[in-house]
Amino acid sequence: MNSKTKKIALAAWIALLGVLLASSLAVGTGAQKHESIKETMRDAVLHESNQISLFGLKEVNPALISAMAVTLAVLLFAAVVRIAVIPRFKMVPGRFQLLLEQLVGFFNGLAKSNSPHRNGFLGAYIFGAGVYIFIGTLFELFGVQAVTTEGHSIALPAPLSDINGAIALGCLSYLIILSGGIAGNGFRGIGSTLKDFSLPISMSFRLFGALLSGLLVTELVYYYIHLSFVLPVAVGVMFTLLHALIQTYVLTMLTALFYGEVSEPHENTRKKADA
Amino acid sequence: MNVPLNIDWQQILLHLFNFVILAGGLYFLLYKPVRDFMDKRTAYYQSLDADTQKKLEEARKLEEAYQSRMADAEKEIREQKARVLREAEAKAEAVLEEAGKQKEQLMSDAVVAARREKERIVEDARVEIAELAVAAAAKILQDNALKAAAGANDKEARHG
């Protein structure tokens, strides 16, 4: 492609953008929203409305549906990989094999480095949690649509932007840490874990706060049609990617760190074990 | 009871249920098989490494044994060389001694032969000289006889 053709293509692209922007602005402002920005933001936090029916059994927050969708998608992908890819693993890995090995190796290494004494179960747990947080956070980028019980269409949010999801993962991580303490040091382990009683709250609300802030900013940006151009590239994609990476690393690292701390054998336990 | 932030315990349990399924599934479908493969590969390379180390150790021991044998062989070679040198020197000395004896024998023989030759030559010369002296005396006598005869002839002619 010579420079003249490039210039023509660039001009055509800019013209197309201009036309689309103008037409969007002209058409978009006439549309009626079913809730104000205040209600949208409040609902993102409290989920008082916009609930979704769970197989007709119960009305649940959209994030639970997101969580189930993520679980389904990830497990399907994992099953395909298990059946089609893993049996064909080679001693010298290809790109995809390398990616999988890096992923597993990262969490396995994180578990081993933070908890050298006891890390088999921890590695498996932080791998699951890491994949869930990362994929779950990226899930909101796809804008999968669902219909609320009130008949409105909404984009499914990240599973952990729901306080219930964040509490579930935060408390489960704490229970895992507690189990590590019991397995490593018995009653002494329980004591040292309970000492950090604020951990489940801090873990849960760290996740919730981080992901909710992303959701709120995204909601805010997408609420106004005027902000829906260019800005979402930075706000939506970049923030979401950063959130996904940072929150995955923070929760898994904290879990591994505390697990290693409480499961580390004390002097008495070591002496008993040596004897 | 109104829980702040609309926290719903049932939904928390549903989230937990969902996550446990995901974590368990991921463990059996991805984490364990990939880690097993990695462990197997690590074990394979470790065994290769151990084999290599073992072979290196064996090679090092073999090298040491060879070096020791080489040192022994060199020592033996040096000893043999010294022994051969000593023998050669002894032989050379014997040869030289023999040659010396032969030389002395030859010299003494030559001296004796030369003395005999000299005596023979002197004897021959003495005989020759005697013969020459006899011949010279005979010649002189002959000349004197001829002169005397000529003188007598002259006398006869003058008297004649």
Side-chain angles (χ1 to χ4, degrees):
Chain A
M1 194 186 276
N2 58 31
S3 63
K4 195 180 171 186
T5 324
K6 274 184 192 170
K7 278 177 190 169
I8 292 170
L10 185 67
W13 181 62
I14 292 170
L16 182 68
L17 283 180
V19 170
L20 287 173
L21 179 63
S23 53
S24 308
L25 290 174
V27 174
T29 47
Q32 199 137 35
K33 297 196 180 288
H34 72 272
E35 57 186 1
S36 66
I37 181 67
K38 190 178 169 187
E39 285 168 337
T40 305
M41 303 286 261
R42 184 182 166 84
D43 190 55
V45 182
L46 299 176
H47 302 289
E48 286 166 334
S49 57
N50 285 341
Q51 298 238 315
I52 296 178
S53 171
L54 180 69
F55 311 120
L57 301 170
K58 177 182 166 60
E59 287 183 6
V60 294
N61 297 344
L64 184 62
I65 306 297
S66 303
M68 288 175 171
V70 167
T71 299
L72 192 68
V74 171
L75 285 183
L76 269 176
F77 174 77
V80 170
V81 169
R82 178 70 187 92
I83 293 163
V85 180
I86 292 177
R88 295 196 182 98
F89 268 12
K90 291 173 185 160
M91 294 302 265
V92 179
R95 284 179 192 170
F96 186 62
Q97 183 184 339
L98 193 65
L99 180 74
L100 286 176
E101 286 184 9
Q102 284 290 318
L103 193 67
V104 171
F106 171 75
F107 289 109
N108 193 31
L110 193 67
K112 277 183 180 164
S113 61
N114 285 296
S115 178
H117 307 285
R118 189 177 290 275
N119 50 50
F121 177 67
L122 176 68
Y125 174 74
I126 59 172
F127 176 74
V131 170
Y132 179 59
I133 297 170
F134 187 75
I135 306 289
T137 309
L138 291 187
F139 178 76
E140 71 178 12
L141 275 183
F142 296 101
V144 178
Q145 297 291 304
V147 180
T148 63
T149 48
E150 291 165 7
H152 303 300
S153 172
I154 56 160
L156 288 177
L160 296 168
S161 63
D162 179 5
I163 185 77
N164 299 317
I167 287 174
L169 198 59
C171 289
L172 184 63
S173 297
Y174 184 71
L175 288 176
I176 297 292
I177 294 166
L178 187 69
S179 74
I182 295 168
N185 290 309
F187 282 110
R188 191 189 286 268
I190 299 177
S192 57
T193 312
L194 290 176
K195 197 173 64 189
D196 297 312
F197 61 88
S198 63
L199 207 55
I201 301 167
S202 71
M203 277 182 157
S204 305
F205 280 82
R206 182 182 292 109
L207 267 179
F208 177 59
L211 294 171
L212 183 73
S213 63
L215 178 76
L216 291 181
V217 172
T218 315
E219 288 277 4
L220 187 65
V221 166
Y222 280 103
Y223 189 83
Y224 299 105
I225 190 82
H226 308 85
L227 296 176
S228 299
F229 301 93
V230 184
L231 203 55
V233 175
V235 175
V237 180
M238 237 169 61
F239 278 16
T240 309
L241 275 173
L242 283 174
H243 269 140
L245 280 174
I246 294 167
Q247 292 312 314
T248 301
Y249 184 67
V250 168
L251 186 115
T252 53
M253 200 265 289
L254 281 178
T255 307
L257 198 72
F258 281 106
Y259 187 97
E261 194 181 308
V262 299
S263 67
E264 185 184 5
H266 287 274
E267 282 304 313
N268 293 345
T269 322
R270 268 188 214 159
K271 275 176 194 166
K272 221 179 265 180
D274 289 344
Chain B
M1 191 181 85
N2 238 351
V3 185
L5 288 171
N6 281 339
I7 292 170
D8 183 344
W9 301 111
Q10 196 177 17
Q11 286 194 50
I12 290 174
L13 289 175
L14 282 171
H15 270 285
L16 276 176
F17 174 71
N18 174 66
F19 176 72
V20 170
I21 290 175
L22 176 68
L26 275 179
Y27 174 72
F28 287 112
L29 292 172
L30 270 188
Y31 186 77
K32 191 171 179 293
V34 173
R35 204 188 57 182
D36 285 350
F37 177 82
M38 288 163 73
D39 289 346
K40 214 188 310 178
R41 185 176 54 197
T42 307
Y44 170 72
Y45 281 117
Q46 274 175 347
S47 75
L48 269 188
D49 188 47
D51 282 353
T52 311
Q53 291 297 332
K54 196 178 160 189
K55 279 180 184 167
L56 272 174
E57 185 64 24
E58 281 172 5
R60 198 180 57 75
K61 279 181 184 167
L62 213 61
E63 191 191 1
E64 273 177 10
Y66 276 123
Q67 275 179 349
S68 158
R69 282 173 68 179
M70 283 291 285
D72 289 350
E74 275 177 11
K75 192 181 167 190
E76 200 176 326
I77 287 168
R78 272 200 305 274
E79 283 172 2
Q80 279 196 4
K81 204 172 165 182
R83 187 169 51 76
V84 168
L85 205 62
R86 277 197 304 275
E87 284 175 7
E89 278 173 359
K91 273 186 187 170
E93 270 177 27
V95 167
L96 280 173
E97 200 176 330
E98 185 63 27
K101 280 178 188 171
Q102 281 181 1
K103 185 187 87 180
E104 280 173 12
Q105 184 65 41
L106 281 172
M107 287 291 284
S108 66
D109 288 354
V111 167
V112 169
R115 195 179 298 143
R116 279 183 192 155
E117 187 66 20
K118 187 184 166 188
E119 284 171 2
R120 190 185 57 79
I121 289 168
V122 169
E123 188 60 35
D124 285 353
R126 195 180 292 145
V127 170
E128 204 172 327
I129 289 167
E131 283 174 355
L132 281 173
V134 170
K139 178 96 178 185
I140 292 166
L141 289 173
Q142 195 178 5
D143 284 350
N144 287 340
L146 283 172
K147 273 178 189 175
N153 285 338
D154 283 343
K155 261 180 196 181
E156 279 179 11
R158 266 179 297 184
H159 287 293

